[in-house]
């Protein structure tokens, strides 16, 4: 059984494309292409299920058309519409360019000075020049290399020196 902490969300399945089971896939992270993944994981009724890729082709920089093995009709494809798509963290770590920022969602932020858990990353805000970790409680922390002391992938923790007073804002 695939555990939620072993994967991270990379996109969502859109509408069927054509009648042979092809689907549009709206992705936020192209890691599946960078590591030549054999499968993607879809959330179906709350369960994480692997779907093996038959083929895919890019439409633009955020949408590709994907064909899964054993999904061979428009009706079968439409059953997957709206499903969230996940990728295994272990495979993402093997990517040549390293894992993407999206792989850090779900990680805990730990204060380097005292080892206290500050919160869990809910999203990465890259809408400005400075990247920000958005915690589940809405707190924003700069995702600056100078502040990060270590990233523990197996424990899914980022240890940081958080500037004094930042958490009180």
């Amino acid at each position: 059984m695939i555990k939620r902490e072993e994967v991270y969300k990379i996109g969502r399945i859109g509408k069927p494309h054509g009648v042979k089971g092809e689907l549009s896939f709206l992705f936020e992270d192209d890691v599946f292409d960078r590591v030549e993944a054999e499968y993607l994981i879809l959330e179906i009724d709350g369960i994480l299920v692997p779907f093996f890729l038959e083929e895919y082709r890019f439409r633009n920089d955020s949408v590709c058309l994907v064909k899964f093995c054993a999904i061979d009709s428009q009706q079968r494809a439409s059953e997957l519409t709206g499903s969230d798509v996940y990728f295994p963290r272990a495979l993402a770590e093997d990517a040549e360019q390293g894992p993407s920022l999206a792989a850090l969602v779900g990680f805990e932020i730990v204060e380097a000075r005292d080892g206290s858990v500050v919160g869990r990353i809910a999203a990465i805000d890259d809408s400005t020049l400075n990247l920000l970790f958005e915690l589940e409680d809405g707190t924003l922390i700069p995702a600056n290399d100078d502040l990060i002391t270590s990233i523990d992938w197996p424990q899914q923790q980022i240890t940081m020196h958080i500037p004094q007073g930042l958490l009180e804002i």
Side-chain angles (χ1 to χ4, degrees):
M1 179 173 225
I2 301 169
K3 297 178 184 171
R4 193 161 301 275
E5 59 269 9
E6 296 172 346
V7 298
Y8 68 100
K9 185 177 173 183
I10 63 168
R12 185 176 206 76
I13 296 294
K15 297 179 185 178
H17 181 80
V19 295
K20 302 211 184 233
E22 204 170 36
L23 290 152
S24 61
F25 169 34
L26 295 82
F27 60 91
E28 299 162 3
D29 185 348
D30 68 351
V31 65
F32 64 95
D33 186 52
R34 290 184 281 126
V35 298
E36 296 182 25
E38 295 180 10
Y39 63 94
L40 296 175
I41 299 166
L42 276 61
E43 184 173 12
I44 308 293
D45 296 328
I47 299 170
L48 298 173
V49 180
F51 282 81
F52 287 87
L53 292 164
E54 189 172 305
E55 64 182 1
Y56 62 89
R57 64 186 191 277
F58 289 94
R59 298 280 300 228
N60 57 43
D61 62 352
S62 64
V63 177
C64 75
L65 298 177
V66 64
K67 174 78 172 73
F68 293 115
C69 297
I71 304 297
D72 54 5
S73 70
Q74 184 178 13
Q75 180 182 354
R76 294 277 321 264
S78 66
E79 294 169 4
L80 302 178
T81 297
S83 298
D84 286 334
V85 180
Y86 296 85
F87 196 79
R89 290 184 190 276
L91 290 178
E93 292 171 22
D94 295 338
E96 265 184 37
Q97 302 164 340
S100 67
L101 288 172
L104 299 176
V105 171
F107 276 47
E108 285 182 328
I109 300 290
V110 176
E111 171 55 61
R113 286 184 278 280
D114 61 11
S116 63
V117 175
V118 175
R120 185 172 306 278
I121 299 172
I124 307 291
D125 182 349
D126 61 356
S127 63
T128 64
L129 186 59
N130 298 313
L131 287 173
L132 300 168
F133 293 135
E134 182 178 340
L135 303 186
E136 291 174 339
D137 67 1
T139 303
L140 297 174
I141 297 177
N144 186 306
D145 288 341
D146 295 337
L147 301 177
I148 297 172
T149 59
S150 67
I151 299 177
D152 185 337
W153 289 96
Q155 294 298 316
Q156 296 185 5
Q157 290 184 328
I158 300 173
T159 304
M160 299 181 71
H161 283 290
I162 299 173
Q164 293 289 341
L166 180 69
L167 298 177
E168 285 79 42
I169 296 176

